[in-house]
Amino acid sequence: MDIVKSKSGINWLKYASPKTFYPLAGQLIPWFSVGAAVLIVYGLYLGLLVAPTDFQQGEGYRIIFVHVPAAWFSMFLYLLMAGYAILGLVLNAKLSHMMAKSIAPTGAMFTLVALVTGSFWGKPMWGAWWVWDARLTSELILLFLYIGYFSLQSAIDDTNRADKASAILAIVGAVNVPIIYFSVKWWNTLHQGASISLTKAPAMAAIMLKGMLIMALGFWLYSIAVILARVRCEIMERDSKAALFRQDI
Amino acid sequence: MKARHKRLAMIVAGLVLIAAAAVLITKSFRSNLVFFFTPTQVEKGEAPKSGNFRIGGLVEQGTLKRLPDGLRVQFKVTDTAKSMLVEYKGILPDLFKEGKGVVAEGSLNQDGLFVATQVLAKHDENYMPPEAAAAIAKAQANKTNTLSTENNK
Amino acid sequence: MQWHSFQEFIAMGGYGFYVWSSFGITFLAMAIELLALKKRRQRITNMLKQETV
């Protein structure tokens, strides 16, 4: 990091240094936390109280307000993690590796939530808790990739080597994400197609869509707050002798 | 010593998980990636000749009937080109309806009847309040009505 | 507002078990994540405190 710093005239990579990043993250976390709480409460209000009944699935469809945002972030956070892994390998930037490592638990959590809530949705609507169709199977593989990622991180003692090895796993595993997303198009699956896509009008009533998007935004701010807090822990663990933490202790 | 044990356990757990993922992937690619076959595919012989497989399509309008024994139901699954007769004994899922998506698992008997052991409802990606759905259905009915009256002229 | 009574809200048109389980699991998972993170931070700060002394 210091090499980059001394070489660049204007210090625009300043925020890539853990020393600068640590207090900045500390200042940002409360804002993201409050934003997440407000949006999630508003999303719950829209989803549970305001949104109308669905013409096919009755009240059972309300699971969509947690299931879909969780599923989106299970995939999006994986791509973000892989992105930071690439950055970490290419720039040899410690902070990028720390970001990647800090994203994994939240991504895994959302994957698990997507799988379990999907199960609670599938049972009454499809008639089965679980089926081995391409969508469900590839999402399960995503969970295994996350678990594999942090098993590898903790299995290797040397931090640098652990970062590099797990970064490679994260990058290779990223092929699974488009497979999950397009599985419902590429193969016959029990899981239905996407209601929301960039290429066509949403197949969803506006108020339902609004509730779902608000909830997703809430999950996004939650993820940012949690990940930043985790990066701070990571910085403290890796660089405990740095004096900058003393003020917090 | 303890740390080493922990690390060993982690590596073993990681390997087991990667192996499990590999098994799942190959399993999926071999047969389950195609979750179901359409009646047309079955007709063409793309589905397994023997043993269990799944068929999917829409429950054809007006074909659902309960057999005299009161336990078994029969209905036709169609992909709008071809259709197949399915027999099933058990509880149908909530979303099972004529004109809606269905996936049935089972096998063909000698008479060409598909005897299902499991019936799953496949729903679409549309979500809207019942009033909106009714309005759309009404609009479509009107459209076909006006079309037919225009044709009659 | 979609509901006429609290009972109706809880029942979710017969899907109560599935809907409430899903919402419960989601927020339980997030709460567990937050708690684990808080514990981790406490453990690290305690460790650093001892080092400073």
Side-chain angles (χ1 to χ4, degrees), chain A residues 22-23 26 232 236 243-249, chain C residues 41 45 48-49:
Chain A
Y22 183 90
R232 274 162 64 94
M236 281 203 281
L244 67 139
F245 311 120
R246 297 280 152 81
Q247 67 214 27
D248 283 25
I249 299 167
Chain C
R41 194 177 162 86
T45 33
L48 291 181
K49 246 184 222 165

Side-chain angles (χ1 to χ4, degrees), chain A residues 31-61:
Chain A
W31 296 101
F32 285 115
S33 309
V34 170
V38 168
L39 284 170
I40 288 172
V41 169
Y42 184 44
L44 281 174
Y45 165 75
L46 288 177
L48 289 172
L49 298 177
V50 178
T53 309
D54 178 60
F55 75 117
Q56 290 188 99
Q57 305 188 28
E59 311 300 347
Y61 93 97

Side-chain angles (χ1 to χ4, degrees), chain A residues 34 44 56 72 85 101 103 107 128 136 148 173 188 192-193 206 227 242 247:
Chain A
V34 170
L44 281 174
Q56 290 188 99
W72 280 347
K101 190 183 171 188
I103 290 168
L136 278 69
N188 291 337
Q192 73 281 9
I227 291 163
Q247 67 214 27

Side-chain angles (χ1 to χ4, degrees), chain A residues 52-57 61 64 121 123-128 130-134 137 140-141 144 147-148 150-151 154-157 169 179 187-195 200 203-205 208, chain B residues 3 7 10-11 13-14 17-18 20-21 24-25 27-29 32-38 41 54 93-97 100 102-103 118-131 133-134:
Chain A
T53 309
D54 178 60
F55 75 117
Q56 290 188 99
Q57 305 188 28
Y61 93 97
I64 206 172
W121 198 355
K123 183 59 188 166
M125 296 306 163
W126 296 344
W130 181 265
V131 293
W132 292 102
D133 84 344
T137 308
L140 184 65
I141 290 170
F144 289 159
I147 295 172
F150 38 74
S151 314
S154 55
I156 304 172
D157 274 344
L169 176 68
I179 293 179
W187 299 289
N188 291 337
T189 56
L190 184 61
H191 198 286
Q192 73 281 9
S195 300
K200 63 175 172 69
M204 226 182 160
M208 297 172 176
Chain B
R7 202 168 61 208
M10 279 300 198
I11 293 172
L17 278 164
I18 290 168
L24 285 178
I25 293 168
K27 192 178 141 128
S28 308
F29 270 93
N32 281 306
L33 217 47
V34 173
F35 189 66
F36 59 81
F37 296 93
T38 62
Q41 286 173 318
R54 298 191 195 89
D94 290 6
L95 288 183
F96 182 90
K97 248 188 209 153
K100 297 287 178 194
V102 69
V103 173
Q118 190 186 30
V119 170
L120 301 169
K122 176 173 164 60
H123 61 82
D124 57 30
E125 63 273 29
N126 296 307
Y127 300 90
M128 60 182 120
E131 306 86 62

